[in-house]
Amino acid sequence: MELAENALFNPIKEIIIQARLKVFRVANSALLEAYWQIGKLIVEDEQQGKHRADYGKATLKVLSNQLTIEFGKGFDYTNLTNIRKFYLSFPILDALRQELSWTHYRLLSRLDSEEKRTFYINEAIASNWNSRELQRQINTLSFERTLTQPKSTAQQSIQHLIKDPYIFEFLGINPETANTERNLETAIINHLKNFLLEFGKGFAFVARQQHIVTDTSDFFIDLVFYNYILKCFVIIDLKTGRLNHQDIGQIDMYVRMYDDLKKGKDDNPTIGILLCSEKDETIVKYSVLNDKNQLFSSKYLL
């Protein structure tokens, strides 16, 4: 009986979920279009005034009172200024992305350049950020921390995905206390979802302390991921102290070893990332890290 009930319950559940998603998408699309049209009218009316700033501010206050009396909540002065800013930031209606909600767009409208807005729109959609995660990424300057920004969504390389520094406040580790690499690794595994959101799009977890056996020795790689966008393995070596040349030699060896023993014939060359609490830029400058091909170092902040 339970199997029969599940066989009936599951397809009905899926129908309800899809119906609710459809209703949300339609409602969200209508709301974005309505706010865009309202913003357009406000800006056009404001531009007809002789003293734009004073005229616009007074107009919005009067308009807010009238709309609130007529329609209730949602049209206070603050929200009308957000709607106005929304139109000014996104003047092309057809370019709005329906995957994003009004809350997303309200946050995006506060950014000071089109380049930043485009970056966060693409990242939010690709990584399925909710508005809270988008706010965190903006607050932690994700745009500024990314090594380089792609000029198009199709143009992707490891330089477009790596950040420096990374911010791991979600690990709950006190930066003032002494921490071991094992503690850091354990905290990352316990907060893997947040770690992947911070690390960027396309990363999937493969292994922790992956055992690599050669003819003469055994090695254990801290963390291994696969990036399905770049189609390559990404190995991470965690360091709780200052970066040194021995660390660089070790990650270089790990990458070469992984390419030889683990990489498939359809995979691109393995990427190695040293995550350290302190970087020595002189060591980076005069080492293989400066080639920016397969080896990278990034600082992390707790």
Side-chain angles (χ1 to χ4, degrees):
M1 186 64 182
E2 184 178 347
L3 291 176
E5 288 176 351
N6 287 337
L8 182 61
F9 170 78
N10 290 330
I12 291 177
K13 174 185 174 182
E14 185 62 26
I15 289 171
I16 294 172
I17 291 173
Q18 292 303 319
R20 288 181 174 178
L21 288 174
K22 185 176 181 180
V23 169
F24 170 78
R25 286 192 293 266
V26 171
N28 184 60
S29 177
L31 181 67
L32 290 179
E33 183 174 352
Y35 280 179
W36 188 91
Q37 296 287 0
I38 293 170
K40 181 174 185 288
L41 290 174
I42 290 173
V43 171
E44 289 177 347
D45 184 76
E46 182 182 44
Q47 289 174 347
Q48 294 174 10
K50 295 181 180 179
H51 306 287
R52 294 185 183 180
D54 294 338
Y55 176 82
K57 185 174 182 180
T59 300
L60 284 189
K61 287 184 177 180
V62 172
L63 181 63
S64 171
N65 291 333
Q66 292 174 330
L67 291 174
T68 300
I69 292 172
E70 183 72 22
F71 297 104
K73 295 181 179 179
F75 296 99
D76 56 30
Y77 175 77
T78 300
N79 203 37
L80 288 183
T81 58
N82 287 332
I83 291 172
R84 174 184 176 277
K85 193 178 296 182
F86 169 52
Y87 170 76
L88 292 173
S89 300
F90 301 95
I92 303 175
L93 177 60
D94 291 341
L96 296 180
R97 300 296 299 268
Q98 305 302 319
E99 303 97 318
L100 302 179
S101 68
W102 163 243
T103 307
H104 286 97
Y105 273 109
R106 189 178 64 199
L107 297 173
L108 293 165
S109 299
R110 299 172 184 170
L111 300 175
D112 57 11
S113 73
E114 183 178 354
E115 187 180 13
K116 287 184 183 180
R117 289 191 288 269
T118 300
F119 170 83
Y120 285 110
I121 286 172
N122 292 335
E123 293 296 313
I125 293 172
S127 302
N128 197 28
W129 291 344
N130 57 29
S131 58
R132 179 177 297 180
E133 181 59 26
L134 173 60
Q135 179 72 77
R136 178 191 174 275
Q137 294 290 344
I138 293 173
N139 288 348
T140 58
L141 305 178
S142 181
F143 173 84
E144 288 80 0
R145 291 186 289 119
T146 303
L147 296 185
T148 59
Q149 281 74 41
K151 295 180 180 179
S152 68
T153 54
Q155 178 196 19
Q156 293 289 350
S157 71
I158 190 63
Q159 287 89 346
H160 301 141
L161 297 179
I162 290 181
K163 300 172 185 174
D164 191 18
Y166 287 93
I167 298 180
F168 297 152
E169 88 288 350
F170 51 81
L171 297 181
I173 296 177
N174 186 351
E176 303 300 325
T177 61
N179 294 292
T180 66
E181 292 165 9
R182 180 55 62 91
N183 289 342
L184 179 63
E185 178 186 312
T186 300
I188 289 173
I189 295 299
N190 291 340
H191 298 83
L192 191 57
K193 178 181 177 181
N194 289 330
F195 179 82
L196 290 174
L197 285 171
E198 167 65 6
F199 225 67
K201 58 181 177 289
F203 288 93
F205 177 67
V206 175
R208 170 191 187 184
Q209 289 295 314
Q210 187 168 33
H211 189 195
I212 304 293
V213 181
T214 67
D215 293 338
T216 59
S217 303
D218 291 67
F219 300 91
F220 295 88
I221 300 176
D222 290 343
L223 296 169
V224 180
F225 295 86
Y226 191 86
N227 189 281
Y228 59 82
I229 297 175
L230 303 178
K231 300 187 185 307
C232 69
F233 287 98
V234 179
I235 62 177
I236 295 177
D237 200 17
L238 300 171
K239 300 299 176 185
T240 55
R242 180 182 290 273
L243 180 69
N244 58 50
H245 62 276
Q246 290 96 337
D247 299 330
I248 297 171
Q250 180 173 280
I251 192 72
D252 186 26
M253 181 186 67
Y254 283 169
V255 166
R256 296 171 187 272
M257 193 182 300
Y258 215 91
D259 276 343
D260 184 45
L261 301 176
K262 293 290 186 180
K263 182 177 78 70
K265 62 179 181 179
D266 295 328
D267 296 324
N268 288 320
T270 302
I271 300 296
I273 302 176
L274 272 167
L275 277 182
C276 52
S277 57
E278 296 182 64
K279 284 177 65 174
D280 187 326
E281 294 300 339
T282 300
I283 290 179
V284 172
K285 180 179 179 180
Y286 294 110
S287 72
V288 292
L289 293 175
N290 199 39
D291 296 337
K292 299 296 184 185
N293 292 323
Q294 289 178 258
L295 301 178
F296 299 85
S297 67
S298 285
K299 184 177 179 179
Y300 63 83
L301 303 175
L302 297 174

